[in-house]
Amino acid sequence: MNNTRNGTRPTSSVLWRSAAIGAVGILGLSACGGGDGGGEGSTEETFTLTYTTYSNDTSDQSLTVQRWAEEVEELTEGGVTVDFHYSESLVGAEESLQATIDGRADMAQVGSLYAASDLPMYTVSELPFETDNPEAQMVALDQLYQENDAYRGDFEQQGVQQLFPLPIGIAVVGLNEAAQTPDDLSGLSIRSGGVVSEAMISVGANPVSMTATDVYESMERGVIDGYTSLGIANLSTFGLSESTSQILEPGVGSYASSVVVVNAELVESMPEAYQEALRTASENAVGYGLDELDTLGSQACEELQNSGTEFSSFSEEDVTAWQEEAGIAEAWVSDQGGEAESVLEDYRRFIDETTESSDYSDPLVACMGE
């Protein structure tokens, strides 16, 4: 981060809220004391925020942050800008959170798959079978940060703030051969990651850990029989939308998350007007994310359809039986201990509340309905 100010940055716990929640009564963002924030002339300071991400510059997640940064720059009249570092060019995905803490970056995309030890309550976002509505998941994560002390406390303990969630979409399973029931996955080697791997194990599949960039070649060479832990919007990026013969909607739903975090001391060092600008732009980020998810998902859908891909899904009865047999949510609460049960209860409640009023449909579901 480059700015015109000198001196130390005080810690804080600034709260953020997505506009999708209908933000009212949010705690205000306070400026620094001692003449460092607020007052006339404070907005003459300039800040260049270093942002690190493991996504490339054309992913829906990066496009979402780009739109957020443009709004912040406009609201601050150029006082706050963002310097982007894509595709792990600054630090690796596993280092994103730590880099934001130690100053190598000011902001970062932090994936739940890479932050389990530092942000354990955040891994609630990886639980399968909870929702097939990405809007509901994103809003729920925003609300958890606002209203659940155990969830927010993990971020505060690390010295970062969750600004806004990024779009992921629901899990697809790409296969060479059709699967009619979860039992048909038994014996198959399927690229997977995070908690979804436990769902694969529960039906006898063999989860294989590999980067998304290796999936195409591994499918072509027969190293794996299929892949998951990807959403439809990811498929074009990795060349899979024109090479996958079978696309299954397995009923897993949302399978992971990534959020944008920022160094807490940095935010509090900013003039109050700049803090307000960051908050305002963050309130629009869920909408930006869904727009970008839809755009790339529609592109992948068209490519899949043009390549003759066949679509299928498991029955609701099969998915319910799979969920009950796997018992993943219960195991997560037991493993995490502490306040994990309250986090899961709130997560489910926020999802249900948003789903009632949301008409959003994941691009995979929309594609299968065409």
Side-chain angles (χ1 to χ4, degrees):
M1 192 252 330
N2 298 313
N3 63 56
T4 59
R5 295 180 64 253
N6 293 313
T8 59
R9 300 183 302 198
T11 59
S12 64
S13 57
V14 182
L15 304 185
W16 306 88
R17 180 180 294 270
S18 165
I21 303 173
V24 290
I26 308 173
L27 291 178
L29 296 171
S30 62
C32 298
D36 281 338
E40 288 189 28
S42 63
T43 53
E44 293 179 1
E45 302 167 274
T46 60
F47 294 75
T48 299
L49 310 183
T50 300
Y51 175 70
T52 180
T53 175
Y54 48 86
S55 300
N56 64 32
D57 61 345
T58 59
S59 72
D60 50 348
Q61 297 170 348
S62 291
L63 293 173
T64 299
V65 184
Q66 289 168 18
R67 291 177 64 176
W68 176 89
E70 289 170 1
E71 182 174 1
V72 168
E73 184 172 357
E74 179 179 352
L75 290 171
T76 62
E77 298 181 347
V80 179
T81 57
V82 178
D83 181 19
F84 286 84
H85 296 265
Y86 301 103
S87 304
E88 301 182 289
S89 60
L90 184 63
V91 299
E94 297 85 353
E95 298 179 82
S96 296
L97 179 62
Q98 186 58 45
T100 311
I101 298 167
D102 64 29
R104 285 175 288 166
D106 300 312
M107 300 169 51
Q109 176 183 3
V110 173
S112 58
L113 299 176
Y114 308 115
S117 61
D118 294 319
L119 301 172
M121 295 304 164
Y122 174 43
T123 59
V124 70
S125 62
E126 295 183 22
L127 295 179
F129 309 114
E130 297 297 331
T131 181
D132 62 359
N133 186 324
E135 179 183 18
Q137 189 210 30
M138 294 168 74
V139 171
L141 293 175
D142 249 337
Q143 288 183 288
L144 277 176
Y145 189 73
Q146 304 307 317
E147 301 182 28
N148 188 283
D149 292 340
Y151 180 91
R152 185 176 62 253
D154 281 351
F155 290 86
E156 293 179 338
Q157 185 175 4
Q158 296 297 330
V160 300
Q161 299 164 13
Q162 175 182 295
L163 288 178
F164 53 89
L166 292 170
I168 293 288
I170 65 174
V172 305
V173 174
L175 298 166
N176 290 323
E177 301 291 338
Q180 302 302 320
T181 70
D183 289 340
D184 291 337
L185 301 178
S186 179
L188 300 182
S189 293
I190 299 178
R191 182 266 182 180
S192 184
V195 181
V196 171
S197 293
E198 297 177 24
M200 294 293 113
I201 291 172
S202 72
V203 292
N206 174 35
V208 178
S209 177
M210 68 171 58
T211 63
T213 55
D214 292 333
V215 171
Y216 177 88
E217 183 178 354
S218 296
M219 288 285 287
E220 291 291 304
R221 294 171 52 198
V223 175
I224 56 175
D225 303 301
Y227 59 83
T228 188
S229 296
L230 290 172
I232 189 172
N234 304 129
L235 301 188
S236 296
T237 300
F238 301 111
L240 300 170
S241 57
E242 297 178 339
S243 63
T244 305
S245 61
Q246 301 285 333
I247 286 290
L248 168 69
E249 197 283 279
V252 167
S254 296
Y255 62 94
S257 168
S258 64
V259 292
V260 174
V261 302
V262 64
N263 183 284
E265 294 183 3
L266 166 61
V267 173
E268 192 66 10
S269 76
M270 290 182 170
E272 184 175 3
Y274 288 178
Q275 296 182 39
E276 183 71 18
L278 265 64
R279 185 181 68 178
T280 298
S282 295
E283 290 173 353
N284 296 323
V286 168
Y288 294 157
L290 294 175
D291 286 346
E292 300 302 337
L293 180 65
D294 283 343
T295 298
L296 292 186
S298 296
Q299 174 187 331
C301 175
E302 182 177 356
E303 292 169 355
L304 289 164
Q305 292 173 339
N306 290 340
S307 63
T309 299
E310 296 184 2
F311 294 83
S312 62
S313 61
F314 294 149
S315 70
E316 185 175 343
E317 293 76 14
D318 282 340
V319 173
T320 299
W322 185 9
Q323 178 181 9
E324 292 176 351
E325 181 177 349
I328 292 173
E330 294 78 8
W332 181 83
V333 170
S334 177
D335 291 343
Q336 298 299 334
E339 299 297 322
E341 187 171 0
S342 77
V343 173
L344 178 58
E345 288 177 353
D346 281 348
Y347 182 60
R348 287 174 166 172
R349 176 167 60 88
F350 297 148
I351 285 174
D352 289 344
E353 290 172 355
T354 303
T355 301
E356 288 181 4
S357 59
S358 172
D359 60 359
Y360 185 78
S361 181
D362 185 88
L364 173 59
V365 176
C367 186
M368 294 177 66
E370 293 180 0

